[in-house]
Amino acid sequence: TELAEECLEDGSLEKLYDAIILPALVHAEQDRLRGSLHRAAVEEIAEDTIGVIDELEEEQDLLSDEVSDEVAAGALAPTSILCIGARNGLDEAAAAMLAHLLTRRGAGARTVPRTEISGRNLANVERQGIVLVCLSYVNAGATQHAQRTIRRLRQHFGREVRVMLGMWAVDPSPEAPRELLAATGADLMVTSLRQAVRQIIEEGSPEQPEVAP
């Protein structure tokens, strides 16, 4: 947390998440895939990361001299965006960062644990008022899993709810991988949290699938 606070002194929360914490999650996932990081260690890293996110959120609220209209609106906004970590705790930590950034910008976003979309549990996930589902992966190669998950999300939410696929990367791509959008069935794809926030907040989730530069 001290390192996070030091980074915040020199830059934004968005930069801290994208440049430091998210790459750490991606590297941890790569270690997991190589077999050098066991499941218990993965979950511990994820829990610690979510703990840091929670602390940053609390500390920034306490230290702010004045709460902006955007933050106040975000605290009261009805949920319209669901941020879901698709496969493991690392994905969920990335989803938590996105939800944090969105709520600070006034969006009604909340995280959904991966257990809530597994099997028959998906049928219990709220649908009313939801306009966007953000599916989070720290493994950019998990395209087949993403395709299956998005298909299930479509069956539950219908075509009117858009799906953003976050394939988080250490080096984000500025261009839209059209073939990956087609392969997974996602409406939008992003590779950094900055891109996601820009798509959702600043551009209002454009009609044509694209990745913001």
Side-chain angles (χ1 to χ4, degrees):
T1 304
E2 292 181 1
L3 175 61
E5 291 174 352
E6 290 176 6
C7 293
L8 284 176
E9 292 178 0
D10 300 324
S12 68
L13 180 66
E14 189 176 277
K15 183 178 180 180
L16 167 66
Y17 284 168
D18 257 337
I20 297 178
I21 300 181
L22 193 56
L25 295 178
V26 172
H27 287 309
E29 174 67 5
Q30 291 171 351
D31 288 342
R32 184 191 71 83
L33 293 172
R34 284 193 293 264
S36 58
L37 198 62
H38 297 296
R39 178 179 298 180
V42 168
E43 293 305 320
E44 184 177 353
I45 291 171
E47 290 174 7
D48 288 346
T49 302
I50 292 175
V52 169
I53 296 167
D54 290 341
E55 288 182 22
L56 285 172
E57 187 172 7
E58 292 173 4
E59 289 176 10
Q60 286 195 319
D61 288 344
L62 290 173
L63 294 174
S64 295
D65 293 328
E66 182 178 341
V67 179
S68 69
D69 290 340
E70 286 185 338
V71 174
L76 299 174
T79 300
S80 61
I81 302 169
L82 300 181
C83 300
I84 304 172
R87 302 186 76 175
N88 58 35
L90 301 175
D91 293 335
E92 290 184 339
M97 287 190 286
L98 177 57
H100 184 196
L101 292 174
L102 291 173
T103 54
R104 284 176 56 80
R105 297 289 294 272
R110 78 170 181 89
T111 57
V112 176
R114 64 188 186 278
T115 54
E116 291 190 16
I117 66 166
S118 64
R120 296 181 180 179
N121 293 340
L122 180 58
N124 299 320
V125 176
E126 62 184 307
R127 286 184 288 190
Q128 185 174 1
I130 303 302
V131 299
L132 180 68
V133 175
C134 302
L135 196 59
S136 175
Y137 287 90
V138 292
N139 175 9
T143 54
Q144 292 186 349
H145 187 277
Q147 181 188 44
R148 293 193 299 270
T149 303
I150 291 172
R151 185 186 304 120
R152 295 183 63 245
L153 292 173
R154 296 286 191 203
Q155 292 171 350
H156 178 69
F157 289 102
R159 295 293 306 183
E160 64 275 9
V161 174
R162 308 191 77 196
V163 177
M164 171 179 280
L165 181 59
M167 288 291 196
W168 314 120
V170 174
D171 298 311
S173 170
E175 298 182 359
R178 301 283 176 171
E179 68 283 355
L180 191 53
L181 283 168
T184 60
D187 298 298
L188 303 161
M189 180 180 168
V190 289
T191 56
S192 74
L193 296 169
R194 172 184 172 274
Q195 291 172 354
V197 171
R198 180 174 176 179
Q199 287 275 7
I200 297 168
I201 302 296
E202 299 179 13
E203 298 183 2
S205 294
E207 291 301 319
Q208 296 300 320
E210 61 182 17
V211 171

